[in-house]
Amino acid sequence: MDLRKLAADAVSQNKKAALLIGGAGVAILGLGLGYKYLRKPEKAVRVGVVSQLLIHPLKSGKAVPLALAECQKMGLKFGELQDRHWMVVTEDGHMVTGRQEPRLVLVSLTCEGGQVCLNGPNMEELKFPIKQPDNPVLDCRVFGVDIQGRDCGDKVSHWLTHYLKAEKTYRLVHFEPCMRPRKPAEKEAVYQQFEEVAYPDFGPVMLLSEASVKDLSSKLEKGVTVERFRPNIVISDCKPFDEDSWEELQIGSVRLQRVMACGRCLFTTVDPETGVISRKEPLETLKNYRLCKPSEKHIYKTSPLFGQLHNVKKTGIFQVGDVVYKITR
């Protein structure tokens, strides 16, 4: 065996390996530098200020104003209150909203020391435990999509049925963390499959500007307030409908991503102060100037658009007074 030849071959192979490794390193470095310089940097542009934060623990129930809130993937949370995590249902599990029972908008649901507190006009306050593990879990339906809810008990059922003067029995259910959430994508294809909600109509966060509400009120005989439209975040210091163009927002430590406009229905004709439904305004006026583009009719159909639905890209904390930044690249 020629030892000198073996040694020469080994040196040659090592050189090739070194060249290959070096070449790969240069390629990776080049890709990294290219990504760094080709990627457009973020730019934060001030577009408004948070003037109100509102949480609706009971679907179609009264809003609870907050000074500060935690924004989770499934919506706003404050203490034991989570946005739209309680819902009135029929005995067979179908959702009941202000469309069917307008006086639901006057029902207040709050939490205190592990207890839920229900209040309504001319009703005695009812308290019951948030956690009732021995109660049955009901199969429910929200816009035709299956979801579960823990039954809150017969006393609550009697309270609601009596308050609403209903001819049939209503029950209250609570969505718990162990339950499987709904996927908005099952109803609206514009949502990503990984997005999840409890009992909201669609997205976890709804945003609206004060200016848009004032613009609408100027066209009505009787003005309306933001509570009529049940937003989570109300923005001031901007022009009417500026929110339509905010695709990505930074508020406090929270990052939001716009998904779609909020198509409005008959529920907007329920007065949040009286619980009376008119079935006309402000819906008719909105239809005069807030309909979608023809190319979007497959999404919104004939519903007028008012407010924007957002997903939570980054969870965190925000509060009233926070500056709202639009993120551009």
Side-chain angles (χ1 to χ4, degrees):
M1 181 180 291
D2 191 342
L3 294 176
R4 285 180 296 178
K5 185 177 186 302
L6 284 174
D9 287 344
V11 171
S12 175
Q13 290 299 323
N14 286 339
K15 284 182 178 179
K16 288 178 182 178
L19 286 171
L20 285 170
I21 293 168
V26 170
I28 292 168
L29 180 61
L31 285 171
L33 290 172
Y35 177 76
K36 177 181 177 181
Y37 290 105
L38 290 174
R39 184 185 61 178
K40 294 181 180 178
E42 286 187 355
K43 183 180 179 183
V45 180
R46 184 188 188 279
V47 292
V49 176
V50 176
S51 61
Q52 293 183 61
L53 291 173
L54 301 168
I55 193 170
H56 303 83
L58 173 63
K59 185 175 180 66
S60 288
K62 198 168 187 176
V64 177
L66 303 172
L68 175 147
E70 182 183 354
C71 190
Q72 299 185 333
K73 286 289 185 180
M74 291 175 63
L76 269 63
K77 183 179 187 294
F78 182 78
E80 295 167 311
L81 289 177
Q82 288 185 272
D83 193 66
R84 294 168 173 92
H85 271 53
W86 282 265
M87 177 173 67
V88 178
V89 297
T90 59
E91 283 193 292
D92 59 359
H94 285 82
M95 71 173 183
V96 178
T97 72
R99 302 166 186 85
Q100 298 87 33
E101 296 288 354
R103 293 181 72 243
L104 261 180
V105 301
L106 304 179
V107 176
S108 168
L109 188 153
T110 56
C111 293
E112 183 180 314
Q115 297 277 306
V116 176
C117 307
L118 271 184
N119 282 282
N122 303 315
M123 296 290 290
E124 286 190 18
E125 182 180 72
L126 179 66
K127 291 187 177 183
F128 58 94
I130 295 174
K131 296 180 180 179
Q132 301 186 74
D134 295 332
N135 285 6
V137 174
L138 305 182
D139 293 324
C140 306
R141 301 277 284 177
V142 176
F143 291 110
V145 179
D146 293 332
I147 192 168
Q148 293 180 320
R150 177 80 65 181
D151 186 81
C152 293
D154 290 339
K155 285 185 178 180
V156 180
S157 174
H158 294 153
W159 191 96
L160 284 168
T161 304
H162 177 68
Y163 167 73
L164 295 170
K165 298 179 173 60
E167 295 180 359
K168 52 188 175 181
T169 301
Y170 288 144
R171 305 198 71 83
L172 184 69
V173 295
H174 177 217
F175 183 84
E176 297 177 344
C178 61
M179 296 174 180
R180 185 171 64 86
R182 281 168 51 241
K183 291 184 181 293
E186 294 181 58
K187 198 70 180 174
E188 287 293 345
V190 292
Y191 282 90
Q192 299 293 322
Q193 284 293 333
F194 60 82
E195 298 297 344
E196 297 176 332
V197 292
Y199 302 140
D201 286 4
F202 294 113
V205 176
M206 207 281 277
L207 181 146
L208 182 64
S209 74
E210 288 181 354
S212 298
V213 178
K214 288 179 182 177
D215 181 85
L216 172 60
S217 289
S218 70
K219 296 173 170 59
L220 300 169
E221 286 186 16
K222 183 182 178 182
V224 291
T225 61
V226 294
E227 285 78 13
R228 174 83 62 142
F229 306 100
R230 312 182 68 75
N232 298 115
I233 306 171
V234 183
I235 307 299
S236 63
D237 200 21
C238 64
K239 295 178 181 177
F241 309 110
D242 273 359
E243 64 267 32
D244 295 356
S245 63
W246 301 339
E247 294 299 321
E248 190 172 340
L249 295 174
Q250 183 77 34
I251 309 174
S253 60
V254 177
R255 182 68 65 94
L256 300 175
Q257 181 71 53
R258 179 188 173 275
V259 179
M260 63 185 291
C262 189
R264 295 301 179 168
C265 67
L266 194 66
F267 195 14
T268 60
T269 70
V270 177
D271 189 329
E273 298 298 322
T274 64
V276 174
I277 186 169
S278 72
R279 298 186 178 275
K280 187 178 179 181
E281 293 295 1
L283 193 60
E284 292 302 314
T285 297
L286 280 172
K287 286 181 178 178
N288 290 333
Y289 78 120
R290 289 293 297 171
L291 292 178
C292 68
K293 301 172 185 176
S295 61
E296 296 177 327
K297 279 194 174 181
H298 66 289
I299 301 174
Y300 304 110
K301 300 177 177 62
T302 60
S303 299
L305 311 181
F306 203 68
Q308 298 294 323
L309 295 169
H310 288 252
N311 283 335
V312 182
K313 197 171 180 179
K314 181 185 175 186
T315 60
I317 303 290
F318 47 29
Q319 59 188 335
V320 171
D322 276 346
V323 174
V324 181
Y325 295 98
K326 178 177 73 172
I327 303 301
T328 60
R329 290 180 178 83

